[in-house]
Amino acid sequence: MFINSSLDEVKRRENALKYIASLVKEKGRSSLHDLSGLAGGFPVEESDLKLLETYAGPAYFYQSLQKEGTSHLGGEKVLAFNRTSAAILATILALVKPGEEIIHYLPQLPSHPSIPRSAKLQGALYSEYDNLEDFKLGDKTALVVITGSTMDHQIIPEDEFEKIIQISHEHGINVLIDDASGARLRTVIYNQPKALDMGADLVVTSTDKLMDGPRAGLMAGKIQIIDQIADKAHQFGLEAQPPVVAGIVRALQTFNPQRILDSVKRKDTLHHELNQFMNSFEKTPTGVMISSNNLLKEVKVPENDLLVSEREVATSMAMILLKDHHIVTIPAVGMPGVSTTIRLDLSSRDAESLDNHQICHAIQDSLQKLRKIIFDEEKCLKLLYEPEDCI
């Protein structure tokens, strides 16, 4: 086995980023095709640059952030963080005492690691459910977290949302919606209400997911609770700094849901074309994906073969896509513990630079190479961890 720890994943990510840096330096940004759905952007204007100062920046952008943020998410007040994970941590530090319990409900287990890790850091108990019949609150429950959309874009039905919020409020417990991509996915494609309009107390979204903002978190909710969380955020340096706030504001101002809607139509055609040579790709709301389990079957790894794991197969495939075809997917560049599903998000800006034929060719070619090297540990180690020239 060649991925044995989170440290290995850190090294894998560093190698992928080094390759991307080399590629962009030698061939320009247009040579890279980020289909992760997390490309984001930093759409600040030239006039913003002189205001990206410690005090002038927050003062200048504050009102715009409140206006655009509450328009996008609802609520009484918004707060910007350097990451969605930072917002979750600040919320748990503010609202949950050591020894109390956090209950997490999501479309499919397991959770994004930021929530259980934050609970552990605070010394809180943690339980998670993906079945409404199993969902239950305890005497020590202090916070309920609902994930609106998983990393693989599965969503919770609206009636389940409302039921969990109702049960939580009957017990006097605050509800945080982790709507990282769901704030747009749920509302634009599935026509679900905004999280706060369904009665939640807090919602947080990632401003780089299905929109062109920086990798940051934006939280909205009731003033009193937001202020409590802001206090913790400032104590630990979790709040977004002026350049990030500027990027969030401009991204919110330019957000256009039409690109998401266009991807819904294109994904059907791409899915059909991929299925001409492999049957394991599934549709997502904005593209296609292949799970690591299905990829194992395509590679024809024998069942119960412990020499190669699902993560290793998916990560290797993602690194081949990156190094041979300059296509960025999450298993290649994601943080340790990231989803092993290879997802091609057609709502990404870079999807416009590739046609379906080019995507299909890249997938087919990468799969053929993967089949040749996956049982050669030396070649896989080189692929994942050794720097490689982009030329």
Side-chain angles (χ1 to χ4, degrees):
M1 298 182 72
F2 45 90
I3 300 178
N4 298 301
S5 69
S6 59
L7 290 177
D8 285 342
E9 292 194 74
V10 169
K11 289 188 289 184
R12 174 267 304 159
R13 183 172 187 270
E14 288 178 350
N15 185 32
L17 295 181
K18 285 178 182 177
Y19 182 83
I20 290 172
S22 172
L23 176 65
V24 172
K25 181 179 179 180
E26 294 296 327
K27 299 186 177 182
R29 173 61 181 83
S30 61
S31 64
L32 185 70
H33 313 294
D34 190 335
L35 304 187
S36 68
L38 307 177
F42 212 85
V44 292
E45 299 176 1
E46 187 173 351
S47 59
D48 297 333
L49 299 180
K50 294 181 180 179
L51 295 164
L52 305 184
E53 301 172 350
T54 302
Y55 300 112
Y60 180 80
F61 290 108
Y62 180 82
Q63 292 300 330
S64 295
L65 180 68
Q66 296 303 316
K67 176 185 175 183
E68 301 297 338
T70 53
S71 174
H72 194 75
L73 295 175
E76 299 173 352
K77 188 175 183 178
V78 300
L79 183 62
F81 291 83
N82 55 39
R83 288 275 303 278
T84 303
S85 297
I88 290 168
L89 174 59
T91 301
I92 289 173
L93 292 175
L95 303 182
V96 182
K97 297 183 176 118
E100 291 184 329
E101 183 182 38
I102 298 164
I103 299 293
H104 185 194
Y105 190 83
L106 61 162
Q108 184 179 44
L109 301 179
S111 161
H112 186 280
S114 62
I115 301 173
R117 285 174 182 171
S118 296
K120 184 177 181 180
L121 187 65
Q122 179 65 339
L125 304 173
Y126 175 82
S127 300
E128 59 187 28
Y129 303 96
D130 61 0
N131 187 320
L132 191 57
E133 294 181 1
D134 298 329
F135 178 79
K136 58 184 177 181
L137 305 178
D139 294 337
K140 294 185 178 181
T141 305
L143 178 68
V144 170
V145 180
I146 304 175
T147 292
S149 169
T150 67
M151 290 182 281
D152 294 333
H153 286 184
Q154 293 176 284
I155 68 162
I156 291 177
E158 186 178 335
D159 59 342
E160 287 189 19
F161 251 113
E162 294 174 339
K163 183 66 175 177
I164 295 169
I165 293 170
Q166 177 189 346
I167 293 171
S168 301
H169 284 173
E170 287 173 354
H171 289 77
I173 298 169
N174 288 318
V175 179
L176 163 67
I177 309 300
D178 175 14
D179 234 1
S181 58
R184 288 156 296 285
L185 189 69
R186 292 188 307 98
T187 58
V188 173
I189 295 181
Y190 294 99
N191 296 313
Q192 288 190 357
K194 296 174 182 177
L196 297 176
D197 290 342
M198 287 191 285
D201 303 284
L202 294 162
V203 62
V204 63
T205 193
S206 299
T207 57
D208 65 333
K209 292 185 178 179
L210 302 180
M211 63 182 296
D212 295 336
R215 187 171 195 188
L218 184 67
M219 177 172 280
K222 299 174 182 177
I223 293 175
Q224 183 179 3
I225 305 178
I226 289 289
D227 287 345
Q228 285 180 260
I229 296 167
D231 178 45
K232 290 296 181 182
H234 292 306
Q235 287 180 37
F236 294 99
L238 303 173
E239 79 282 4
Q241 297 305 301
V244 174
V245 174
I248 292 173
V249 168
R250 298 309 181 197
L252 290 169
Q253 289 174 337
T254 57
F255 173 67
N256 182 356
Q258 189 58 49
R259 198 165 74 209
I260 297 176
L261 294 172
D262 290 343
S263 71
V264 176
K265 301 174 184 177
R266 182 181 173 187
K267 64 120 180 265
D268 292 329
T269 304
L270 177 59
H271 182 257
H272 174 74
E273 293 177 15
L274 285 168
N275 276 347
Q276 300 305 303
F277 60 90
M278 58 191 300
N279 298 315
S280 298
F281 267 92
E282 303 171 67
K283 296 180 185 179
T284 71
T286 57
V288 297
M289 69 178 187
I290 183 167
S291 69
S292 54
N293 180 260
N294 282 337
L295 189 58
L296 273 177
K297 296 174 184 176
E298 290 287 348
V299 176
K300 297 181 172 56
V301 174
E303 288 188 23
N304 303 318
D305 189 329
L306 301 179
L307 296 178
V308 181
S309 69
E310 290 185 14
R311 181 168 296 277
E312 288 167 333
V313 169
T315 305
S316 299
M317 176 74 170
M319 288 294 276
I320 296 170
L321 281 169
L322 173 61
K323 291 187 174 183
D324 288 7
H325 300 280
H326 306 164
I327 292 175
V328 179
T329 56
I330 292 171
V333 296
M335 298 291 185
V338 73
S339 170
T340 56
T341 298
I342 294 178
R343 190 171 68 238
L344 306 177
D345 196 303
L346 300 177
S347 70
S348 304
R349 283 174 300 173
D350 288 357
E352 298 172 359
S353 66
L354 293 171
D355 60 32
N356 288 359
H357 174 75
Q358 290 171 305
I359 294 174
C360 288
H361 169 71
I363 293 294
Q364 192 168 26
D365 183 70
S366 298
L367 181 60
Q368 289 173 352
K369 182 172 182 179
L370 180 65
R371 287 170 175 159
K372 292 177 181 178
I373 73 166
I374 194 59
F375 296 108
D376 188 325
E377 185 170 337
E378 184 177 343
K379 288 183 179 179
C380 289
L381 286 169
K382 181 178 180 181
L383 173 70
L384 265 59
Y385 304 121
E386 291 186 18
E388 187 174 329
D389 197 338
C390 69
I391 298 176

